């Protein structure tokens, strides 16, 4: 995939969780609530219709305020790739203030490990810079750590 350094941010890690379990966590609303926003913030609601054009709606509690983030899936490749955006909501209704399109790539990386790649694509270099300054690398890194910890707790039960 060709990335544009002017508008794209990328985080890549090898995590000690099987790809199938990472996929399950990313595509199940109840699982999303356990990792999708850096603690101490919380996901208070999640609604997923896992298909192209299907909804990916989340509600966050951040510093006591509620933040709704509604979007759609642009691409779904079972077990391998999720592409979602807040540029549209369900029914392809354009959003008033879109921020980014996210691409999640999952690849086998050896016995029980996953190459986890998260890409955030932005409309403008200014939006990319804003996201980086908001803490993209730290925040998305925390999310990966939370996902790994949560997924490991599932596999040990």
């Amino acid at each position: 995939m060709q990335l544009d350094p002017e508008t794209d941010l990328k985080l890549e890690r090898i995590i000690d969780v099987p790809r199938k379990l990472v996929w399950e966590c990313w595509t199940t609303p109840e699982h999303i609530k356990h990792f999708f926003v850096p603690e101490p913030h919380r996901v208070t609601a999640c609604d997923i219709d896992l298909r192209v054009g299907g909804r990916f709606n989340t509600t966050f509690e951040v510093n006591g305020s509620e933040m709704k983030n509604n979007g759609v899936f642009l691409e779904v490749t079972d077990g391998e790739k999720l592409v979602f955006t807040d540029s549209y909501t369900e029914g392809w209704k354009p959003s008033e203030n879109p921020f980014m399109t996210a691409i999640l790539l999952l690849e086998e990386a050896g016995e029980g490990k996953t190459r986890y790649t998260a890409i955030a694509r932005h409309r403008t270099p200014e939006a990319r810079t804003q996201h980086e300054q908001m803490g993209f690398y730290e925040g998305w890194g925390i999310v990966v750590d939370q996902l790994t910890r949560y997924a490991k707790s599932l596999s040990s039960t």
Side-chain angles (χ1 to χ4, degrees), residues 47 91 96 102 131 133 142:
D47 187 16
E96 187 175 328
H131 197 181
Q133 291 173 347
I142 290 169

Side-chain angles (χ1 to χ4, degrees), residues 17 22 24-25 28 30 40 43 58 104 109 114 117 129-131 136 140 144-145 157:
V17 177
V22 175
E24 181 183 326
C25 287
T28 306
E30 196 52 45
V43 176
T58 50
L104 179 69
T114 302
T117 305
T129 299
Q130 176 190 13
H131 197 181
F136 168 82
W140 283 64
V144 174
D145 293 341
T157 57

Side-chain angles (χ1 to χ4, degrees), residues 49-56 71-76 83 88-93:
D49 178 8
L50 190 62
R51 62 181 176 84
V52 172
R55 71 191 156 282
F56 183 42
V72 297
F73 290 104
L74 300 174
E75 185 175 345
V76 177
V83 181
Y88 296 96
T89 59
E90 195 170 25
W92 302 112
K93 183 175 168 106

Side-chain angles (χ1 to χ4, degrees), residues 23-85:
W23 180 262
E24 181 183 326
C25 287
W26 263 100
T27 58
T28 306
E30 196 52 45
H31 292 323
I32 289 276
K33 293 177 182 180
H34 292 274
F35 70 89
F36 189 51
V37 64
E39 294 173 349
H41 312 303
R42 300 181 315 123
V43 176
T44 57
C46 179
D47 187 16
I48 292 175
D49 178 8
L50 190 62
R51 62 181 176 84
V52 172
R55 71 191 156 282
F56 183 42
N57 298 341
T58 50
T59 303
F60 305 111
E61 181 186 288
V62 177
N63 299 326
S65 297
E66 182 178 88
M67 295 175 51
K68 290 185 181 278
N69 186 39
N70 294 333
V72 297
F73 290 104
L74 300 174
E75 185 175 345
V76 177
T77 304
D78 190 39
E80 297 177 10
K81 185 176 186 180
L82 286 175
V83 181
F84 54 94
T85 187

